[in-house]
Coordinates of all heavy atoms in Angstrom, one line a residue:
P453 N 26.6 20.0 20.6 CA 25.3 20.7 20.2 C 24.7 20.1 18.9 O 23.5 19.8 18.9 CB 25.7 22.2 19.9 CG 27.0 22.4 20.7 CD 27.7 21.0 20.7
M454 N 25.5 19.8 17.9 CA 25.0 19.2 16.7 C 24.5 17.8 17.0 O 23.5 17.3 16.4 CB 26.1 19.2 15.6 CG 25.5 18.7 14.3 SD 24.1 19.6 13.7 CE 24.9 20.6 12.5
C455 N 25.2 17.1 17.8 CA 24.9 15.7 18.2 C 23.5 15.7 18.8 O 22.7 14.8 18.6 CB 25.9 15.1 19.1 SG 25.6 13.4 19.5
R456 N 23.2 16.6 19.7 CA 21.9 16.7 20.4 C 20.8 17.0 19.4 O 19.7 16.4 19.5 CB 21.9 17.8 21.5 CG 22.8 17.4 22.7 CD 22.6 18.5 23.7 NE 23.5 18.3 24.8 CZ 23.6 19.0 25.8 NH1 23.0 20.2 25.9 NH2 24.5 18.7 26.8
L457 N 21.1 17.8 18.4 CA 20.1 18.1 17.4 C 19.8 16.8 16.6 O 18.6 16.6 16.3 CB 20.6 19.2 16.5 CG 19.6 19.7 15.4 CD1 18.3 20.2 16.1 CD2 20.3 20.8 14.6
V458 N 20.8 16.1 16.2 CA 20.6 14.8 15.5 C 19.8 13.8 16.3 O 18.8 13.2 15.8 CB 21.9 14.2 15.0 CG1 21.7 12.8 14.4 CG2 22.6 15.1 14.0
I459 N 20.1 13.7 17.6 CA 19.3 12.8 18.5 C 17.9 13.2 18.6 O 17.0 12.4 18.5 CB 20.0 12.7 19.8 CG1 21.4 11.9 19.7 CG2 19.1 11.9 20.8 CD1 22.2 11.9 20.9
L460 N 17.7 14.5 18.8 CA 16.3 15.0 18.9 C 15.5 14.8 17.6 O 14.4 14.4 17.7 CB 16.4 16.5 19.2 CG 15.0 17.2 19.3 CD1 14.2 16.6 20.5 CD2 15.2 18.7 19.5
A461 N 16.1 15.0 16.5 CA 15.4 14.7 15.2 C 15.1 13.3 15.1 O 14.0 12.9 14.6 CB 16.3 15.2 14.0
A462 N 16.0 12.4 15.5 CA 15.7 10.9 15.4 C 14.6 10.5 16.3 O 13.7 9.8 15.9 CB 17.0 10.2 15.8
V463 N 14.5 11.1 17.5 CA 13.4 10.8 18.5 C 12.1 11.3 17.9 O 11.1 10.6 18.0 CB 13.8 11.4 19.9 CG1 12.5 11.3 20.8 CG2 14.9 10.6 20.5
L464 N 12.1 12.5 17.4 CA 10.8 13.1 16.9 C 10.3 12.3 15.7 O 9.2 12.0 15.6 CB 11.0 14.5 16.5 CG 11.1 15.5 17.7 CD1 11.4 16.9 17.2 CD2 9.9 15.5 18.5
S465 N 11.2 11.9 14.8 CA 10.8 11.2 13.6 C 10.3 9.8 14.0 O 9.4 9.2 13.3 CB 11.9 11.0 12.6 OG 13.0 10.2 13.1
A466 N 10.7 9.2 15.1 CA 10.3 7.9 15.5 C 8.9 8.0 16.1 O 8.1 7.0 16.1 CB 11.2 7.3 16.5
T467 N 8.5 9.2 16.6 CA 7.2 9.3 17.3 C 6.1 9.8 16.3 O 4.9 9.7 16.6 CB 7.3 10.3 18.5 OG1 7.7 11.5 18.0 CG2 8.2 9.7 19.6
L468 N 6.5 10.4 15.2 CA 5.5 10.9 14.2 C 4.6 9.9 13.7 O 3.4 10.2 13.6 CB 6.2 11.7 13.1 CG 6.8 13.1 13.5 CD1 7.5 13.7 12.4 CD2 5.8 14.0 14.1
P469 N 5.0 8.7 13.3 CA 4.0 7.8 12.7 C 2.9 7.4 13.7 O 1.8 7.2 13.4 CB 4.8 6.5 12.4 CG 6.2 7.1 12.2 CD 6.3 8.3 13.1
A470 N 3.2 7.4 15.0 CA 2.2 7.1 16.0 C 1.1 8.2 16.1 O 0.0 8.0 16.3 CB 2.8 6.9 17.4
A471 N 1.5 9.5 15.8 CA 0.6 10.6 15.9 C -0.3 10.6 14.6 O -1.3 11.2 14.6 CB 1.4 11.9 16.0
A472 N 0.2 10.0 13.5 CA -0.6 10.0 12.3 C -1.4 8.7 12.1 O -1.4 8.1 11.1 CB 0.4 10.2 11.1
Q473 N -2.1 8.3 13.1 CA -2.9 7.1 13.1 C -4.1 7.3 12.2 O -4.7 8.3 12.1 CB -3.3 6.6 14.5 CG -2.1 6.2 15.3 CD -2.5 5.8 16.7 OE1 -3.7 5.8 17.0 NE2 -1.6 5.6 17.6
A474 N -4.5 6.2 11.6 CA -5.7 6.2 10.7 C -7.0 6.4 11.6 O -7.0 6.0 12.7 CB -5.8 5.0 9.9
R475 N -8.0 6.9 10.9 CA -9.3 7.1 11.6 C -10.0 5.7 11.7 O -9.7 4.8 10.8 CB -10.2 8.0 10.8 CG -9.8 9.4 10.8 CD -10.8 10.3 10.0 NE -10.8 10.0 8.6 CZ -10.1 10.6 7.7 NH1 -9.3 11.7 8.0 NH2 -10.1 10.3 6.4
P476 N -10.9 5.5 12.6 CA -11.6 4.2 12.6 C -12.5 4.2 11.4 O -12.9 5.2 10.9 CB -12.5 4.3 13.9 CG -12.5 5.8 14.3 CD -11.2 6.4 13.7
A477 N -12.7 3.0 10.9 CA -13.5 2.7 9.6 C -14.7 2.0 10.0 O -14.6 0.8 10.5 CB -12.6 2.0 8.6
S478 N -15.9 2.6 9.8 CA -17.1 1.9 10.1 C -17.3 0.6 9.4 O -17.8 -0.4 10.0 CB -18.3 2.9 9.8 OG -18.5 3.0 8.4
Y479 N -16.9 0.5 8.2 CA -17.1 -0.7 7.4 C -16.2 -1.8 7.8 O -16.4 -3.0 7.4 CB -16.9 -0.4 5.9 CG -15.5 0.2 5.5 CD1 -14.4 -0.6 5.2 CD2 -15.3 1.6 5.6 CE1 -13.2 -0.1 4.9 CE2 -14.1 2.1 5.3 CZ -13.0 1.3 4.9 OH -11.8 1.9 4.6
R480 N -15.3 -1.6 8.7 CA -14.4 -2.6 9.2 C -14.9 -3.1 10.6 O -14.3 -4.0 11.2 CB -13.0 -2.2 9.3 CG -12.3 -2.0 8.0 CD -10.9 -1.8 8.1 NE -10.3 -1.6 6.8 CZ -9.3 -0.7 6.5 NH1 -8.8 0.0 7.5 NH2 -8.8 -0.7 5.3
M481 N -15.9 -2.4 11.2 CA -16.4 -2.6 12.5 C -17.8 -3.1 12.5 O -18.5 -2.9 11.6 CB -16.3 -1.3 13.3 CG -15.0 -0.6 13.4 SD -15.1 1.1 13.9 CE -15.8 1.0 15.5
S482 N -18.2 -3.8 13.6 CA -19.6 -4.2 13.7 C -20.4 -3.0 14.0 O -19.9 -2.0 14.5 CB -19.8 -5.3 14.8 OG -19.5 -4.7 16.1
C483 N -21.7 -3.1 13.7 CA -22.6 -2.0 14.0 C -22.6 -1.6 15.5 O -22.5 -0.5 15.9 CB -24.0 -2.3 13.6 SG -25.2 -0.9 13.8
A484 N -22.6 -2.7 16.4 CA -22.5 -2.4 17.8 C -21.2 -1.7 18.2 O -21.3 -0.8 19.1 CB -22.6 -3.8 18.5
A485 N -20.1 -2.0 17.6 CA -18.8 -1.4 17.9 C -18.9 0.1 17.5 O -18.4 1.0 18.2 CB -17.7 -2.1 17.2
V486 N -19.5 0.4 16.3 CA -19.6 1.8 15.8 C -20.4 2.6 16.8 O -20.0 3.7 17.3 CB -20.3 1.8 14.4 CG1 -20.7 3.2 14.1 CG2 -19.4 1.2 13.4
Q487 N -21.6 2.0 17.2 CA -22.4 2.7 18.2 C -21.8 2.9 19.5 O -21.9 4.0 20.1 CB -23.8 2.0 18.3 CG -24.6 2.0 17.0 CD -25.8 1.1 17.0 OE1 -25.8 0.1 17.8 NE2 -26.7 1.4 16.2
A488 N -21.1 1.9 20.0 CA -20.4 2.0 21.3 C -19.3 3.1 21.2 O -19.1 3.8 22.2 CB -19.8 0.6 21.7
M489 N -18.6 3.1 20.1 CA -17.5 4.1 20.1 C -18.0 5.5 20.1 O -17.5 6.4 20.8 CB -16.6 3.9 18.8 CG -15.5 4.9 18.6 SD -14.6 4.7 17.1 CE -13.6 3.3 17.6
V490 N -19.1 5.8 19.3 CA -19.7 7.1 19.3 C -20.2 7.5 20.7 O -20.1 8.6 21.2 CB -20.7 7.3 18.2 CG1 -21.4 8.6 18.3 CG2 -20.1 7.1 16.8
G491 N -20.9 6.5 21.3 CA -21.5 6.7 22.6 C -20.5 7.0 23.7 O -20.6 7.8 24.5
R492 N -19.4 6.2 23.6 CA -18.3 6.3 24.6 C -17.5 7.6 24.5 O -17.2 8.3 25.5 CB -17.4 5.1 24.5 CG -16.3 5.1 25.6 CD -15.5 3.8 25.4 NE -14.8 3.6 24.1 CZ -15.2 2.7 23.2 NH1 -16.2 1.9 23.4 NH2 -14.6 2.6 22.0
Q493 N -17.2 8.0 23.2 CA -16.3 9.2 23.0 C -17.1 10.4 22.8 O -16.6 11.5 23.0 CB -15.4 8.9 21.8 CG -14.4 7.8 22.0 CD -13.5 7.6 20.8 OE1 -13.4 8.5 20.0 NE2 -12.8 6.5 20.8
G494 N -18.4 10.3 22.5 CA -19.2 11.5 22.3 C -19.2 12.1 20.9 O -20.2 12.5 20.4
A495 N -18.0 12.1 20.3 CA -17.8 12.6 18.9 C -16.6 11.9 18.3 O -15.6 11.7 19.0 CB -17.5 14.1 19.0
V496 N -16.8 11.4 17.1 CA -15.8 10.5 16.4 C -15.8 10.9 15.0 O -16.8 11.0 14.3 CB -16.1 9.0 16.5 CG1 -15.1 8.2 15.8 CG2 -16.2 8.6 18.0
V497 N -14.6 11.2 14.4 CA -14.4 11.3 13.0 C -14.1 9.9 12.5 O -13.1 9.2 12.9 CB -13.2 12.2 12.6 CG1 -13.0 12.3 11.1 CG2 -13.5 13.6 13.2
M498 N -14.9 9.4 11.6 CA -14.9 8.0 11.1 C -14.9 7.9 9.6 O -15.7 8.6 9.0 CB -16.1 7.3 11.8 CG -16.1 5.8 11.6 SD -17.4 5.0 12.5 CE -17.5 5.7 14.1
D499 N -14.1 7.0 9.1 CA -14.2 6.7 7.6 C -15.4 5.8 7.4 O -15.7 4.9 8.2 CB -13.0 5.9 7.2 CG -11.7 6.7 7.1 OD1 -11.8 8.0 7.1 OD2 -10.6 6.1 7.1
T500 N -16.2 6.2 6.3 CA -17.3 5.3 6.0 C -17.1 4.6 4.6 O -17.9 3.8 4.2 CB -18.6 6.2 5.8 OG1 -18.3 7.3 4.9 CG2 -19.0 6.8 7.2
S501 N -16.0 4.9 4.0 CA -15.4 4.2 2.8 C -14.0 4.5 2.7 O -13.5 5.3 3.6 CB -16.2 4.5 1.6 OG -15.7 5.8 1.1
R502 N -13.3 4.1 1.7 CA -11.9 4.4 1.6 C -11.7 5.9 1.2 O -10.6 6.4 1.3 CB -11.3 3.5 0.5 CG -11.2 2.1 1.0 CD -10.5 1.2 -0.1 NE -10.5 -0.2 0.4 CZ -9.6 -1.0 0.1 NH1 -8.6 -0.7 -0.7 NH2 -9.7 -2.3 0.6
T503 N -12.8 6.5 0.7 CA -12.6 7.9 0.3 C -13.5 8.9 1.0 O -13.5 10.1 0.7 CB -12.9 8.0 -1.2 OG1 -14.2 7.5 -1.5 CG2 -11.9 7.2 -2.0
T504 N -14.4 8.5 1.9 CA -15.3 9.4 2.6 C -15.2 9.2 4.1 O -14.9 8.1 4.6 CB -16.7 9.1 2.2 OG1 -17.1 7.8 2.5 CG2 -17.0 9.4 0.7
F505 N -15.4 10.3 4.8 CA -15.4 10.3 6.3 C -16.4 11.4 6.7 O -16.7 12.3 6.0 CB -14.0 10.5 6.8 CG -13.4 11.8 6.5 CD1 -13.6 12.9 7.4 CD2 -12.7 12.1 5.4 CE1 -13.0 14.1 7.2 CE2 -12.2 13.3 5.1 CZ -12.3 14.3 6.0
D506 N -16.7 11.4 8.0 CA -17.6 12.4 8.6 C -17.4 12.4 10.1 O -16.8 11.4 10.6 CB -19.0 12.3 8.2 CG -19.8 13.6 8.2 OD1 -19.3 14.6 8.8 OD2 -20.8 13.7 7.6
R507 N -17.9 13.3 10.8 CA -17.9 13.4 12.2 C -19.2 13.0 12.8 O -20.3 13.6 12.3 CB -17.5 14.8 12.7 CG -17.4 15.0 14.2 CD -16.8 16.4 14.5 NE -16.7 16.6 15.9 CZ -17.7 17.2 16.7 NH1 -18.8 17.7 16.1 NH2 -17.5 17.4 18.0
Y508 N -19.3 12.1 13.7 CA -20.5 11.6 14.2 C -20.5 11.9 15.7 O -19.5 11.7 16.4 CB -20.7 10.1 14.0 CG -20.6 9.8 12.5 CD1 -19.5 9.4 11.8 CD2 -21.8 10.0 11.7 CE1 -19.4 9.2 10.5 CE2 -21.7 9.8 10.3 CZ -20.5 9.4 9.7 OH -20.5 9.2 8.4
V509 N -21.7 12.3 16.2 CA -21.8 12.7 17.6 C -22.9 12.0 18.3 O -23.9 11.5 17.6 CB -22.0 14.3 17.7 CG1 -20.8 15.0 17.1 CG2 -23.3 14.7 17.1
A510 N -22.9 11.9 19.6 CA -23.9 11.2 20.4 C -25.0 12.2 20.8 O -26.2 11.7 20.8 CB -23.3 10.6 21.6
T511 N -24.7 13.4 21.1 CA -25.7 14.4 21.5 C -25.3 15.8 21.0 O -24.2 16.0 20.5 CB -25.7 14.5 23.0 OG1 -24.5 15.0 23.5 CG2 -26.0 13.1 23.7
L512 N -26.3 16.7 21.1 CA -26.1 18.0 20.6 C -25.0 18.8 21.3 O -24.4 19.7 20.8 CB -27.5 18.8 20.8 CG -27.6 20.1 20.2 CD1 -27.4 20.1 18.7 CD2 -29.0 20.7 20.5
R513 N -24.6 18.4 22.5 CA -23.6 19.1 23.2 C -22.2 19.0 22.5 O -21.3 19.8 22.8 CB -23.5 18.6 24.7 CG -22.8 17.3 24.9 CD -22.8 16.9 26.3 NE -22.0 15.8 26.5 CZ -20.9 15.8 27.4 NH1 -20.6 16.9 28.1 NH2 -20.2 14.7 27.5
F514 N -22.1 18.1 21.6 CA -20.8 18.0 20.8 C -20.8 18.8 19.5 O -19.9 18.8 18.7 CB -20.5 16.5 20.5 CG -20.2 15.8 21.7 CD1 -21.2 15.0 22.3 CD2 -19.0 15.8 22.3 CE1 -20.9 14.3 23.5 CE2 -18.7 15.1 23.5 CZ -19.7 14.3 24.1
C515 N -21.9 19.6 19.3 CA -22.0 20.5 18.2 C -21.7 22.0 18.6 O -21.7 22.3 19.8 CB -23.5 20.4 17.6 SG -23.9 18.8 17.0
M516 N -21.6 22.8 17.6 CA -21.4 24.2 17.9 C -22.7 24.9 18.3 O -23.8 24.4 17.8 CB -20.8 24.9 16.6 CG -19.5 24.4 16.2 SD -18.2 24.8 17.4 CE -18.1 26.5 17.2
P517 N -22.7 26.0 19.0 CA -24.0 26.6 19.4 C -24.7 27.0 18.1 O -24.2 27.5 17.1 CB -23.5 27.9 20.1 CG -22.2 27.5 20.7 CD -21.6 26.6 19.7
G518 N -26.1 26.8 18.1 CA -26.9 27.1 17.0 C -27.0 26.0 16.0 O -27.9 26.1 15.1
Q519 N -26.3 24.9 16.1 CA -26.4 23.8 15.2 C -27.5 22.9 15.7 O -28.0 23.0 16.8 CB -25.1 23.1 15.1 CG -24.0 23.8 14.3 CD -22.8 23.0 14.0 OE1 -22.3 22.3 14.9 NE2 -22.3 23.1 12.8
A520 N -27.8 21.9 14.8 CA -28.9 20.9 15.1 C -28.3 19.6 14.8 O -27.2 19.4 14.2 CB -30.1 21.2 14.3
L521 N -29.1 18.5 15.1 CA -28.7 17.2 14.9 C -29.4 16.6 13.7 O -30.6 16.8 13.5 CB -29.0 16.3 16.1 CG -28.2 16.6 17.4 CD1 -28.7 15.8 18.5 CD2 -26.7 16.4 17.2
K522 N -28.7 15.8 12.9 CA -29.3 15.0 11.8 C -28.9 13.6 12.0 O -27.7 13.3 12.0 CB -28.7 15.6 10.5 CG -29.3 14.8 9.3 CD -28.8 15.4 8.0 CE -29.3 14.6 6.8 NZ -28.6 14.9 5.6
P523 N -29.8 12.6 12.1 CA -29.5 11.2 12.2 C -28.7 10.7 11.0 O -29.0 11.1 9.9 CB -30.8 10.5 12.3 CG -31.9 11.6 12.4 CD -31.2 12.9 12.0
Q524 N -27.7 9.8 11.3 CA -26.9 9.3 10.2 C -26.7 7.8 10.4 O -26.5 7.3 11.4 CB -25.5 9.9 10.3 CG -25.5 11.4 9.9 CD -25.8 11.6 8.5 OE1 -25.3 11.0 7.6 NE2 -26.7 12.6 8.3
W525 N -26.8 7.1 9.2 CA -26.5 5.7 9.1 C -25.3 5.5 8.3 O -25.1 6.2 7.3 CB -27.7 5.0 8.5 CG -28.9 5.0 9.4 CD1 -29.3 3.9 10.1 CD2 -29.9 6.0 9.6 NE1 -30.4 4.2 10.9 CE2 -30.8 5.5 10.6 CE3 -30.0 7.3 9.2 CZ2 -31.9 6.2 11.0 CZ3 -31.1 8.1 9.7 CH2 -32.0 7.5 10.6
V526 N -24.5 4.6 8.7 CA -23.2 4.3 8.0 C -23.1 2.8 7.7 O -23.8 2.0 8.3 CB -22.0 4.7 8.8 CG1 -22.0 6.2 9.1 CG2 -21.9 3.9 10.1
P527 N -22.3 2.4 6.7 CA -22.1 1.0 6.4 C -21.2 0.4 7.6 O -20.2 1.0 8.0 CB -21.4 1.0 5.1 CG -20.7 2.3 5.0 CD -21.6 3.3 5.7
A528 N -21.6 -0.7 8.1 CA -20.8 -1.4 9.1 C -20.4 -2.8 8.5 O -21.0 -3.2 7.5 CB -21.5 -1.6 10.4
R529 N -19.5 -3.5 9.1 CA -19.1 -4.8 8.6 C -20.3 -5.8 8.6 O -20.4 -6.6 7.6 CB -18.0 -5.4 9.6 CG -17.4 -6.7 9.1 CD -16.4 -7.2 10.0 NE -17.1 -7.7 11.3 CZ -16.7 -7.4 12.5 NH1 -15.6 -6.6 12.7 NH2 -17.3 -7.8 13.5
D530 N -21.2 -5.7 9.5 CA -22.3 -6.6 9.6 C -23.7 -6.1 9.1 O -24.7 -6.9 9.1 CB -22.5 -7.2 11.0 CG -22.7 -6.1 12.0 OD1 -22.5 -4.9 11.7 OD2 -23.0 -6.4 13.2
T531 N -23.7 -4.9 8.6 CA -25.0 -4.3 8.0 C -24.7 -3.2 7.1 O -23.8 -2.4 7.4 CB -25.9 -3.9 9.2 OG1 -27.2 -3.5 8.6 CG2 -25.4 -2.8 10.0
P532 N -25.4 -3.0 6.1 CA -25.2 -1.9 5.2 C -25.7 -0.5 5.7 O -25.2 0.5 5.3 CB -26.0 -2.2 3.9 CG -27.0 -3.2 4.3 CD -26.4 -3.9 5.5
Q533 N -26.6 -0.5 6.7 CA -27.1 0.7 7.3 C -27.1 0.6 8.8 O -28.0 0.0 9.4 CB -28.4 1.1 6.7 CG -28.4 1.5 5.3 CD -29.6 2.2 4.9 OE1 -30.5 2.4 5.6 NE2 -29.6 2.7 3.6
C534 N -26.1 1.1 9.5 CA -26.0 1.1 10.9 C -26.2 2.5 11.4 O -25.6 3.5 11.0 CB -24.6 0.6 11.3 SG -24.2 0.8 13.0
F535 N -27.1 2.7 12.4 CA -27.3 4.0 13.0 C -26.1 4.4 13.8 O -25.8 3.7 14.8 CB -28.6 4.1 13.9 CG -28.7 5.4 14.6 CD1 -29.1 6.5 13.8 CD2 -28.5 5.5 15.9 CE1 -29.2 7.8 14.5 CE2 -28.7 6.7 16.6 CZ -29.0 7.9 15.8
A536 N -25.3 5.4 13.4 CA -24.0 5.7 14.0 C -24.2 6.8 15.0 O -23.3 7.0 15.9 CB -23.0 6.2 13.0
G537 N -25.3 7.6 15.0 CA -25.5 8.7 15.8 C -26.0 9.9 14.9 O -26.8 9.7 14.1
Y538 N -25.4 11.0 15.1 CA -25.8 12.2 14.4 C -24.6 13.0 13.8 O -23.5 12.8 14.3 CB -26.6 13.2 15.4 CG -27.7 12.5 16.1 CD1 -27.5 11.8 17.3 CD2 -29.0 12.4 15.6 CE1 -28.5 11.2 18.0 CE2 -30.0 11.8 16.2 CZ -29.8 11.2 17.4 OH -30.8 10.5 18.1
T539 N -24.9 13.8 12.9 CA -24.0 14.8 12.4 C -24.5 16.2 12.8 O -25.7 16.4 13.0 CB -23.7 14.8 10.9 OG1 -25.0 14.9 10.2 CG2 -23.0 13.5 10.5
C540 N -23.7 17.1 13.0 CA -24.1 18.5 13.4 C -24.3 19.2 12.1 O -23.5 19.2 11.2 CB -22.9 19.2 14.2 SG -22.5 18.3 15.7
I541 N -25.5 19.9 12.0 CA -25.9 20.6 10.8 C -26.2 22.0 11.2 O -26.5 22.4 12.3 CB -27.0 19.9 10.1 CG1 -28.2 19.8 11.0 CG2 -26.6 18.6 9.5 CD1 -29.5 20.0 10.3
D542 N -26.1 22.9 10.2 CA -26.5 24.3 10.3 C -28.0 24.4 9.9 O -28.3 24.2 8.7 CB -25.6 25.1 9.3 CG -25.6 26.6 9.6 OD1 -26.4 27.0 10.5 OD2 -24.9 27.3 9.0
P543 N -28.9 24.7 10.8 CA -30.3 24.6 10.5 C -30.8 25.6 9.5 O -31.8 25.4 8.8 CB -31.0 24.9 11.9 CG -30.0 25.5 12.7 CD -28.7 25.0 12.2
D544 N -30.1 26.7 9.3 CA -30.5 27.6 8.2 C -30.1 27.2 6.8 O -30.3 28.0 5.9 CB -30.0 29.1 8.6 CG -28.6 29.2 9.0 OD1 -28.1 28.2 9.5 OD2 -28.0 30.2 8.8
R545 N -29.7 26.0 6.7 CA -29.4 25.4 5.3 C -30.5 24.6 4.9 O -30.4 23.7 4.0 CB -28.1 24.7 5.3 CG -26.9 25.6 5.6 CD -25.7 24.9 5.2 NE -24.6 25.8 5.4 CZ -23.4 25.7 4.8 NH1 -23.2 24.8 3.9 NH2 -22.5 26.6 5.1
G546 N -31.7 24.7 5.5 CA -32.9 24.0 5.0 C -33.2 22.7 5.7 O -34.1 22.0 5.3
F547 N -32.3 22.3 6.7 CA -32.6 21.0 7.4 C -33.6 21.2 8.5 O -33.6 22.2 9.1 CB -31.3 20.5 8.0 CG -30.3 20.1 6.9 CD1 -29.2 20.8 6.7 CD2 -30.4 18.9 6.2 CE1 -28.2 20.5 5.7 CE2 -29.5 18.5 5.3 CZ -28.4 19.3 5.0
F548 N -34.3 20.2 8.8 CA -35.3 20.1 9.9 C -34.5 20.1 11.2 O -33.5 19.4 11.3 CB -36.1 18.9 9.8 CG -37.1 18.7 10.9 CD1 -38.2 19.5 11.0 CD2 -36.8 17.8 11.9 CE1 -39.1 19.4 12.0 CE2 -37.7 17.7 13.0 CZ -38.9 18.5 13.0
R549 N -34.8 21.0 12.1 CA -34.1 21.0 13.4 C -34.6 19.9 14.3 O -35.8 19.8 14.6 CB -34.3 22.3 14.1 CG -33.5 22.4 15.4 CD -33.5 23.8 16.0 NE -32.8 23.7 17.3 CZ -31.6 24.2 17.5 NH1 -31.0 24.7 16.5 NH2 -31.0 24.1 18.6
W550 N -33.7 19.0 14.8 CA -34.1 18.0 15.7 C -33.9 18.5 17.1 O -32.9 19.0 17.4 CB -33.2 16.8 15.5 CG -33.4 16.2 14.1 CD1 -32.7 16.6 13.0 CD2 -34.3 15.2 13.8 NE1 -33.2 15.8 11.9 CE2 -34.1 15.0 12.4 CE3 -35.2 14.4 14.4 CZ2 -34.9 14.0 11.7 CZ3 -35.9 13.5 13.8 CH2 -35.8 13.3 12.4
G551 N -34.9 18.4 18.0 CA -34.9 19.0 19.3 C -34.2 18.2 20.4 O -34.7 18.0 21.4
F552 N -33.0 17.6 20.1 CA -32.3 16.9 21.1 C -31.3 17.7 21.8 O -30.6 18.5 21.3 CB -31.6 15.7 20.5 CG -32.5 14.7 19.9 CD1 -32.7 14.7 18.5 CD2 -33.2 13.8 20.6 CE1 -33.5 13.7 17.9 CE2 -34.0 12.9 20.1 CZ -34.2 12.8 18.7

């Protein structure tokens, strides 16, 4: 019984680093790759610097009901301002509601 517990702990610890993978970093990718990733996955949490990140979506269907879209540009490897898609915003916080 104790041997099984030790083996199980060893197997679990070997798989944990794979589960803790880093987020994609826009500044390490080309602008086309950033746009393709958001378009393909629909919603992506992406680093935009070593200390900042956000969630970017392709369409309103990836937001919560009642939210709106705000266009977002991020730094990419080949351009300082790459249109990444949108972030979901709460329209009653003073943002203009985009009708997408």
Side-chain angles (χ1 to χ4, degrees):
M454 184 57 100
C455 182
R456 287 184 186 179
L457 184 60
V458 170
I459 291 172
L460 179 61
V463 169
L464 286 176
S465 68
T467 59
L468 287 179
Q473 294 179 5
R475 291 183 293 265
S478 69
Y479 57 92
R480 291 187 180 143
M481 303 164 60
S482 69
C483 184
V486 168
Q487 293 171 339
M489 179 181 283
V490 174
R492 183 177 58 253
Q493 295 182 15
V496 178
V497 176
M498 189 176 313
D499 288 343
T500 55
S501 77
R502 292 180 184 212
T503 58
T504 59
F505 66 93
D506 208 340
R507 181 173 179 263
Y508 302 94
V509 300
T511 66
L512 189 57
R513 74 183 194 121
F514 294 96
C515 298
M516 298 295 291
Q519 287 188 316
L521 295 174
K522 180 180 177 191
Q524 291 293 313
W525 287 262
V526 299
R529 186 183 67 227
D530 56 350
T531 182
Q533 291 197 356
C534 170
F535 176 70
Y538 305 91
T539 53
C540 301
I541 58 143
D542 196 354
D544 46 334
R545 294 195 179 205
F547 292 106
F548 177 77
R549 181 172 178 106
W550 297 87
F552 297 101

